Amino acid sequence: MIEAGRKPALNAAQIWNMSFGFLGIQIGFELQNGNVSRIFQTLGAEVGELAILWIAAPMTGLIVQPIIGHLSDKTWSPRWGRRRPFFLIGALLASLALFVMPNAPALWVAAGMLWIMDASLNITMEPFRAFVGDNLPDRQRTMGYAMQSFFIGTGAVVAGALPWVMTNWLGLSNVAPVGEIPETVRWSFYIGGAALLAAVCWTVFTTKEYSPQELAGFAAAEGEGAGARPSSVQRSAAQFVSGGTAWIIAGVILAGFVMLGRSEPRPALFGAIEIEKDLYVLAGLVGGFGVIQLIAGMLRAQGRSDNGFMEVVSDLFAMPRTMRQLAVVQFFSWFAMFALWIYGTPGVTAYHFGAGDAASAAYQDGADWWSLMGSVRNGLAAAAALGFVVVAAKIDRTRLHAINLMLGAAGFAAILLIRDPALLWVPQIGIGIAWASIVSLPYAILAGSVPPEKMGIYMGVFNIFIVVPQLLAATLLGFLVTNIFGGVPIYAFVIAAVSFVLAAGATLLVKEQTA
């Protein structure tokens, strides 16, 4: 019997329907993650240029997700609800981008399409995180986010296997003239675009949402978010200005360091270290965060705090304690995953297949095999996600997440130890379990630690700590791989393993809020 005033539990079919759209979203993301480096290299990009070309993905996430979170919190339609309009708009745009991307005639066009595709996927994805928090009581959120993780894994299996299936089962060619995208990749993107739109539409038309008034009543009855409210102390104009000034100075110093390191003749203090131009982007990001704080300081001083920009910035600096602790975990977790996505294809094709020429059959065979290994990894992740529902009832979510991340670290290390490509499925076990955990357990922990009326904005702000490590990876990984590992891409997995270990340690420090 449902207790009066409390959010009712949903049955398995309802949770299935509200999570099904993630199947399509992840097909889109996995096609992007597994094939964009391949497309870039086919169109003439060098390995050292991949990280900076990939900066489109996190940059769009950094901008789009907090904005969409804020807008969806403020949206309500009796017919379409709160989050579902954004599901549909994003899915339409992302599907269109998936049709266009593999037909890019030049590298700059492909890079531009990555911006559009990732922005569209983020418009669809961000509200899905808040959707589960809105509709499920805390006792079912682990199941809800685990179901999302199951569909993430299943969608990634489908997308990762598509190029391999096209080649080995349907007989399509995975080799094309120099500068052209193989037809296996093109048809994979076409199928993925159609599947994305169909899956998201299923969720849009088979689910309903609670009104803001109903959510407020549930929160009052359950005491949800009590003790987990953001700080009521507003950051002053002077604090914004002083903090912004410090960040701008740091950005200028870093830019000067990069300029000095790239000048001719090179100062002796740099020795043999190669300073990549990608680091200018990092300097710009540091300075840009300072500019945002200066703008916030000016608006606060003028008494103009009642707007979306100030709400997002103020909420960023007033995060609940649990969210701040989880932010550290997310930072190191996603830094590792971005290393996998950027350097997986060039690393495995060179290290395990001995292929460095993107136009060669050996490279394309290696790329197809690595894409298939992505399907194995994500299939294991889908299975692991269902297991989390059972295991989480016996062990707290923070310890479970730490264990999963350590298994992922072991998986990254194993890729370097295994030279036979046929055995690369073994490391995918640990990485797959870690991936399932990354996209489910932190969200289940977070959903109970934020005010329900700010679920969307805080899910968007939380995703900043996915985006920031990706931006750092895009600007720093090339520098680290070049100067520490002699430009050999497979050793990016060493960095990934260490990052997972740090994330596991940070997880053990998280104090979970309960209602």
Side-chain angles (χ1 to χ4, degrees), residues 238-273:
Q239 288 174 313
F240 275 127
V241 171
S242 62
T245 301
W247 279 86
I248 290 172
I249 291 172
V252 171
I253 291 173
L254 179 56
F257 175 83
V258 176
M259 184 180 296
L260 189 63
R262 293 181 59 80
S263 63
E264 294 292 343
R266 281 165 53 87
L269 66 91
F270 288 96
I273 297 175

Side-chain angles (χ1 to χ4, degrees), residues 253-334:
I253 291 173
L254 179 56
F257 175 83
V258 176
M259 184 180 296
L260 189 63
R262 293 181 59 80
S263 63
E264 294 292 343
R266 281 165 53 87
L269 66 91
F270 288 96
I273 297 175
E274 294 186 28
I275 304 298
E276 302 289 341
K277 61 180 180 296
D278 303 2
L279 294 177
Y280 279 125
V281 178
L282 179 58
L285 292 169
V286 171
F289 185 56
V291 171
I292 289 171
Q293 293 181 70
L294 287 184
I295 294 172
M298 289 189 295
L299 291 174
R300 178 63 50 81
Q302 296 169 8
R304 298 164 58 192
S305 297
D306 189 17
N307 58 72
F309 174 82
M310 285 302 298
E311 183 175 353
V312 172
V313 175
S314 296
D315 286 342
L316 174 62
F317 283 95
M319 292 185 296
R321 182 184 66 172
T322 300
M323 186 173 173
R324 292 196 302 269
Q325 294 167 337
L326 283 170
V328 179
V329 177
Q330 293 293 83
F331 178 90
F332 288 112
S333 300
W334 286 86

Side-chain angles (χ1 to χ4, degrees), residues 7 24 91 103 116 128 171 265 269 280 316 346 355 387 477 505:
K7 191 181 294 181
N103 294 295
I116 296 171
F128 259 99
L269 66 91
Y280 279 125
L316 174 62
L477 276 174

Side-chain angles (χ1 to χ4, degrees), residues 7 10 14-15 18-20 22 83 87 125-138 140-149 209-210 215 224 440 443-444 447 455 459:
K7 191 181 294 181
L10 300 186
Q14 290 171 313
I15 296 175
M18 67 187 292
S19 301
F20 188 75
F22 244 109
R83 316 293 181 187
F87 299 167
M125 182 192 72
E126 196 285 331
F128 259 99
R129 298 298 191 187
F131 194 52
V132 168
D134 289 342
N135 289 345
L136 294 180
D138 185 67
Q140 284 194 306
R141 282 175 179 155
T142 297
M143 179 185 293
Y145 286 111
M147 186 65 74
Q148 282 193 353
S149 184
E209 298 182 68
Y210 296 115
L215 290 172
E224 191 171 51
S440 59
Y443 294 96
M455 187 71 71
M459 286 294 177

Side-chain angles (χ1 to χ4, degrees), residues 116-259:
I116 296 171
M117 182 164 59
D118 202 82
S120 304
L121 289 168
N122 275 293
I123 290 171
T124 305
M125 182 192 72
E126 196 285 331
F128 259 99
R129 298 298 191 187
F131 194 52
V132 168
D134 289 342
N135 289 345
L136 294 180
D138 185 67
R139 64 186 180 278
Q140 284 194 306
R141 282 175 179 155
T142 297
M143 179 185 293
Y145 286 111
M147 186 65 74
Q148 282 193 353
S149 184
F150 169 77
F151 282 119
I152 288 171
T154 303
V157 168
V158 173
L162 277 174
W164 188 89
V165 169
M166 294 288 174
T167 301
N168 293 279
W169 290 4
L170 301 182
L172 297 182
S173 175
N174 71 343
V175 179
V178 175
E180 294 186 19
I181 310 301
E183 61 180 346
T184 53
V185 176
R186 292 203 310 273
W187 278 101
S188 295
F189 273 64
Y190 300 156
I191 293 169
L196 187 157
L197 185 59
V200 171
C201 283
W202 178 272
T203 291
V204 169
F205 294 112
T206 62
T207 59
K208 67 175 185 177
E209 298 182 68
Y210 296 115
S211 70
Q213 294 76 20
E214 289 174 310
L215 290 172
F218 293 144
E222 298 174 356
E224 191 171 51
R229 295 269 166 184
S231 172
S232 61
V233 178
Q234 293 290 323
R235 191 173 176 86
S236 70
Q239 288 174 313
F240 275 127
V241 171
S242 62
T245 301
W247 279 86
I248 290 172
I249 291 172
V252 171
I253 291 173
L254 179 56
F257 175 83
V258 176
M259 184 180 296

